[in-house]
Amino acid sequence: MSLYRRWIGGSGDVVAGYTSSIADDAEIAAEVVEVMKAHVKHLIEAGAVPRADGEEILAVLGQLNPADLIRQGYEDVHEALEDYLIKRLGPKGGWVGLGRSRNDHVAAAIRLRLLKHIDAAMRAAEEVKCAAAERALEYADCVMPSFTHFQPAQPITYGHYLMALYELMADFADALSAVRGIVDKSPLGSGPAGGTAVPLNRRRLAELAGFGEVAVNTLYASSSRFFAGLAASAVASMLAELSRFVDDFVAWSSPLIGYLQLPDEHVSTSSIMPHKRNPVTLEVLRARISEALADALALLAVQEKIGYGYSLDLQEATRHLWRVFKTAEEGLAVLADVVKRARFNCEKAYGDAARYPTTSSDAAERMALGGTPFRDAYFKVAEAVKAGRAELPDPREAVKRPVSGSPDPQEVRRAAEEGLRSCGGRRAS
Ligand code: ARG
């Protein structure tokens, strides 16, 4: 029988199986042990436990492989850890229950684990950013149509397109670093809801556990998952947008469009149609992004209906957080590889930009800049396009639009080079 259930009775098999988080806790087992070490160190400092007992506990914690705690028969990893200490050290092991609750300890472990995932997601975003800048430099002159409503719109360049992906990654990294500051707050010492009678120094406890700040209000600290919802929402927002790039790459890799030659490793073929080059990594990525959006929503939905204070519902929210991050970390790595190694068919893309009247807006604007009111110029160009006698600027000239951030190859090269400076000596190949 589990440690805590002993006093309440009941074999609890059905209940235990249904309510245990032990399998999910594999994600946070290492952090749970780290948090416990900080807690015991501070109990010793605060004179709340006999020093010798505390040091024995620390020695056992130091030798423990956190993965060994993931064993059936426990409500969660926190109970498994306390039970392990009591089995190893006798009643002395039970000192660890003083001045803490699973509620503040699980919140602390989730926050610490999440900080690692945030850092991993930022590194993965950096990979995409650098791959995008590298290829943007290579394809700065490579003219293609842009698409609005999936109709050929203005001409841009593939380099310009890639710098859009670059900027998304840069904004995502900024958003994550703001979120990071909110995650990096220690809930330790907040007890189950209203604090503890043990005179713990919460700032010191935070420092021992490796947090930058303290989540102050004990009810908020022990019960809030705002930090988790926020992190998942930031990632979900990025993924929803990333999916649009993925969708383009899938379409462009079809011979019907034929702009993008995906690396061989990213395609599979058919068991019956040997001509097929199916964009399978991108298809899986697109599907997993949809799942991750559902996970982000599940994380928020589980929380929103419970009153302010810990309920076991919160335990059920946590796994969704890890799924969102795992999808982002893996997906960004896949996409970085695609961007780095895919070949873009500039001739084909330029052909489309020239074949369709993609420079109609440039023609109308030039006319307007020459003194014709814009709407008149617009209708003149419209008529000429309709009659098939429009003389439109060449897309290669038109892309040199004089506004910052435009597809002007010089502008794209400048932005890509600036971006590459933080990418550790990468260059276009
Ligand atoms: N296993 C729980 C979780 O992951 C932590 C334990 C809180 N349990 C409790 N009965 N107060 O959120």
Side-chain angles (χ1 to χ4, degrees):
M1 189 185 297
S2 76
L3 177 66
Y4 304 139
R5 175 158 274 279
R6 195 169 305 154
W7 73 271
I8 210 168
S11 87
D13 283 350
V14 175
V15 173
Y18 192 63
T19 59
S20 171
S21 63
I22 197 78
D24 290 329
D25 288 347
E27 180 76 32
I28 54 167
E31 287 73 19
V32 165
V33 173
E34 288 312 304
V35 164
M36 186 59 91
K37 284 183 191 162
H39 175 62
V40 175
K41 278 183 199 156
H42 190 54
L43 285 177
I44 298 172
E45 287 176 349
V49 301
R51 173 171 290 275
D53 291 359
E55 277 168 2
E56 267 187 70
I57 296 170
L58 284 175
V60 172
L61 288 172
Q63 292 156 4
L64 173 63
N65 175 6
D68 293 343
L69 295 172
I70 305 305
R71 299 201 345 251
Q72 293 309 312
Y74 293 104
E75 289 181 9
D76 54 31
V77 64
H78 312 277
E79 186 184 47
L81 176 57
E82 187 173 340
D83 196 47
Y84 176 81
L85 292 170
I86 291 172
K87 284 197 172 117
R88 282 284 305 267
L89 297 167
K92 286 184 251 183
W95 277 122
V96 296
L98 180 63
R100 71 108 205 197
S101 150
R102 284 184 284 178
N103 299 351
D104 64 338
H105 273 220
V106 76
I110 295 170
R111 283 173 182 265
L112 289 175
R113 184 74 190 141
L114 181 53
L115 288 173
K116 291 176 193 159
H117 277 294
I118 287 175
D119 293 343
M122 289 226 227
R123 283 194 299 274
E126 187 68 19
E127 279 300 304
V128 173
K129 245 176 81 179
C130 292
E134 219 173 302
R135 288 295 153 256
L137 199 54
E138 180 182 352
Y139 289 112
D141 298 287
C142 175
V143 171
M144 64 177 285
S146 64
F147 295 92
T148 62
H149 313 266
F150 194 48
Q151 306 283 320
Q154 295 175 297
I156 56 170
T157 67
Y158 184 47
H160 182 251
Y161 178 91
L162 289 172
M163 290 309 285
L165 176 60
Y166 176 97
E167 196 161 330
L168 168 64
M169 290 297 112
D171 278 350
F172 173 58
D174 284 350
L176 270 194
S177 71
V179 171
R180 201 183 189 290
I182 289 168
V183 177
D184 191 17
K185 292 182 177 179
S186 170
L188 294 174
S190 64
T196 163
V198 184
L200 301 176
N201 177 339
R202 294 194 58 211
R203 170 138 292 288
R204 171 70 182 148
L205 198 45
E207 186 184 300
L208 285 170
F211 284 103
E213 292 293 330
V214 172
V216 179
N217 179 284
T218 62
L219 183 59
Y220 180 73
S222 57
S223 326
S224 174
R225 291 293 182 273
F226 176 65
F227 69 90
L230 191 63
S233 303
V235 173
S237 302
M238 178 278 290
L239 287 174
E241 193 142 316
L242 192 78
S243 188
R244 298 165 61 185
F245 288 91
V246 174
D247 207 51
D248 280 344
F249 292 159
V250 169
W252 296 352
S253 72
S254 162
L256 297 183
I257 294 184
Y259 293 174
L260 206 64
Q261 163 99 6
L262 293 174
D264 291 346
E265 291 80 356
H266 287 266
V267 302
S268 77
T269 190
S270 154
S271 63
I272 186 166
M273 299 172 285
H275 69 283
K276 295 296 294 294
R277 284 177 60 87
N278 300 328
V280 285
T281 52
L282 296 176
E283 288 168 347
V284 170
L285 173 53
R286 210 167 40 172
R288 297 221 173 123
I289 287 176
S290 303
E291 288 183 275
L293 302 190
D295 278 313
L297 181 60
L299 173 73
L300 296 171
V302 167
Q303 296 172 45
E304 58 94 8
K305 73 188 94 44
I306 64 172
Y308 220 72
Y310 185 92
S311 293
L312 206 55
D313 309 48
L314 292 183
Q315 161 183 298
E316 300 303 296
T318 311
R319 76 177 73 87
H320 299 290
L321 177 62
W322 310 133
R323 287 184 193 156
V324 171
F325 271 85
K326 190 166 172 233
T327 299
E329 290 158 33
E330 288 177 352
L332 289 171
V334 164
L335 198 77
D337 200 52
V338 168
V339 168
K340 225 178 283 174
R341 295 166 54 220
R343 308 306 308 160
F344 195 86
N345 187 336
C346 301
E347 213 175 306
K348 178 93 190 340
Y350 172 73
D352 284 347
R355 185 150 56 97
Y356 299 104
T358 58
T359 57
S360 63
S361 69
D362 298 284
E365 285 188 333
R366 284 175 194 193
M367 212 184 281
L369 289 171
T372 311
F374 178 79
R375 197 50 62 203
D376 292 345
Y378 168 93
F379 283 122
K380 276 193 185 117
V381 174
E383 256 168 53
V385 167
K386 205 169 170 187
R389 57 169 169 75
E391 281 178 25
L392 299 178
D394 187 296
R396 287 196 176 114
E397 287 309 309
V399 291
K400 296 176 188 161
R401 298 186 192 98
V403 293
S404 66
S406 87
D408 182 351
Q410 274 189 33
E411 175 82 4
V412 170
R413 261 192 290 277
R414 187 199 54 71
E417 265 161 11
E418 190 183 309
L420 279 172
R421 254 174 247 139
S422 62
C423 289
R426 286 164 208 252
R427 278 288 160 263
S429 56

